[in-house]
Amino acid sequence: MLRVSNLIKSTLEGNNPKGLDYSILIWNLTNRCNLSCLHCYSKASVDSKDALTTDEIVNTLPSLINAGIKFIIFSGGEPLLRKDIFEIAQECKKQGIITYLSTNGMYINESNVKNIVENFNYIGVSIDGESNIHDSFRGIHGAFERSFGNILKLLKYTDKVGVRFTLTKSTLKSLKFMFNLVERNKIPKIYISHLAYSGRGLENLKMDISKRQRRSAVNFIIEKALFYYRTKRNIEVVTGNMEQDAILLLKRFIKEYPDHTEDLYTRLEKWGGNSAGVKLANIDSFGNVKPDPFFPYILGNIKEKKFEEIWRDEKNPILNFLRHHPRNIDGRCKDCYFINICNGGSRSRAYAVYGDIKKEDPSCYLLKDEIRGKL
């Protein structure tokens, strides 16, 4: 996750960046979902059954804390389909864990909106473009109208709300629309997710945009973030699943803010790029522990072993590989000048395309000169 707006502001103003000095867990609480999204990595369906009980989830929280997890993003499937979601969130709050809710927004209503606002520190709602594109992408007519309407409901109670947008061939044309949407409606945050591939297969690769399109999109996103900073717009811009975006931000600083380039470079080095298996963990709906939600290998299961024991296993070769910084990655990453910043990008995409987590990220859009350090 690259906090573009935060990096721009903190670097230009010489402040400490607003960041997270502890580990984040993405917890797919359920595999049930009311939608059939084209890019869904969990293959969720409305007929799925929850594999973890309330007690199993709550009893895992102390072990998460012992392992350094202080921040949980509840996802799915659709997490609001769990009747115990607020009970779980309240228990997290009691134990000092910060909670985010990642939802499709369809189940937010007048009867639960206050509960959602009170129990989650932030709510991210997925919107993937204009109504016809969103509805087609999400697999149900009227999805946009309901989800966006419920974002407006949330904004009546809190400003800790944002939209989540995934870049694909079918949604790319909506990128400008999404920024117009947050501007018109004063939505405080927009998170743009690059498409990640899960497992061994190229299903999602067929949905992905080209490297040229990605560069153009990222430059547009950076331009928007800079515009918001210059005009003092209170809109935060974040990108995810593409740590190479940091290099294009650095390139932009060289051109427009050369006096601040060295400072930004230092901050990006400290950020460290892809953090799967380092400061990012995942528990799926079956209790499997993975370095990120898309990762092809399972490290263990919380039903069989405590999370902290799984996460702190110093003999696990996958964790040892992921925690070496910068990672020893083959291909164009091997001699890349910026490997210490992006840390090689997505290991899950590398596996999906090459069958090997040690190969280069196939979605990396950096040019040959940029890899040599010439920005």
Side-chain angles (χ1 to χ4, degrees), residues 27-189:
W27 199 332
N28 302 96
L29 282 182
T30 180
N31 206 41
R32 289 186 292 139
C33 190
N34 55 313
L35 300 180
S36 301
C37 304
L38 296 176
H39 67 310
C40 181
Y41 60 84
S42 62
K43 304 300 180 187
S45 85
V46 73
D47 298 321
S48 299
K49 293 184 178 180
D50 294 333
L52 297 175
T53 66
T54 308
D55 286 344
E56 285 174 326
I57 293 169
V58 170
N59 291 339
T60 301
L61 298 182
S63 187
L64 296 178
I65 294 170
N66 289 341
I69 301 288
K70 293 184 180 179
F71 188 108
I72 299 178
I73 300 173
F74 289 120
S75 186
E78 173 48 52
L80 288 177
L81 280 171
R82 285 198 65 124
K83 294 181 179 179
D84 57 359
I85 183 68
F86 298 121
E87 181 182 348
I88 294 167
Q90 287 164 10
E91 190 58 39
C92 287
K93 196 172 183 179
K94 288 178 186 176
Q95 299 195 34
I97 297 174
I98 298 168
T99 57
Y100 274 19
L101 178 68
S102 179
T103 173
N104 62 43
M106 299 280 282
Y107 283 96
I108 299 169
N109 53 54
E110 293 295 346
S111 65
N112 67 11
V113 64
K114 288 185 179 180
N115 244 342
I116 291 171
V117 170
E118 288 172 2
N119 286 289
F120 293 98
N121 299 82
Y122 173 81
I123 305 103
V125 181
S126 296
I127 298 287
D128 288 295
E130 294 97 328
S131 59
N132 60 323
I133 293 175
H134 177 86
D135 290 359
S136 175
F137 196 66
R138 295 281 162 178
I140 186 170
H141 180 70
F144 175 88
E145 185 178 351
R146 284 181 60 185
S147 296
F148 179 65
N150 289 333
I151 290 174
L152 299 181
K153 277 191 182 77
L154 289 166
L155 287 171
K156 292 178 181 178
Y157 297 94
T158 181
D159 62 354
K160 303 300 182 183
V161 180
V163 294
R164 300 171 58 88
F165 172 77
T166 303
L167 278 171
T168 67
K169 284 179 181 176
S170 60
T171 65
L172 177 61
K173 66 185 76 172
S174 290
L175 183 59
K176 290 183 180 179
F177 166 84
M178 291 302 300
F179 278 94
N180 289 335
L181 187 77
V182 298
E183 290 168 14
R184 286 197 311 268
N185 295 281
K186 298 181 180 179
I187 299 171
K189 182 175 180 179

Side-chain angles (χ1 to χ4, degrees), residues 209-310:
I209 58 179
S210 70
K211 293 181 181 181
R212 180 176 292 183
Q213 288 173 318
R214 195 181 307 282
R215 282 184 70 97
S216 177
V218 174
N219 280 321
F220 174 77
I221 291 164
I222 291 171
E223 175 58 40
K224 277 293 187 181
L226 285 167
F227 172 72
Y228 294 153
Y229 174 75
R230 291 165 181 156
T231 57
K232 302 187 184 302
R233 292 276 191 104
N234 189 28
I235 300 174
E236 183 181 4
V237 179
V238 180
T239 68
N241 300 320
M242 202 74 212
E243 289 76 18
Q244 294 87 340
D245 293 354
I247 313 306
L248 288 192
L249 178 62
L250 183 65
K251 187 170 185 173
R252 190 61 177 269
F253 262 63
I254 290 173
K255 180 181 178 181
E256 297 188 26
Y257 302 105
D259 292 343
H260 296 276
T261 301
E262 186 176 344
D263 185 18
L264 177 61
Y265 186 91
T266 301
R267 291 168 188 263
L268 291 175
E269 271 192 314
K270 186 176 180 181
W271 167 65
N274 186 276
S275 63
V278 186
K279 287 190 173 183
L280 175 65
N282 171 246
I283 300 177
D284 70 16
S285 60
F286 302 100
N288 296 315
V289 177
K290 297 185 291 183
D292 70 39
F294 316 99
F295 210 83
Y297 301 123
I298 293 169
L299 303 175
N301 190 289
I302 60 170
K303 288 187 173 185
E304 300 166 1
K305 190 182 288 188
K306 288 184 177 181
F307 177 86
E308 61 194 288
E309 294 175 8
I310 297 169

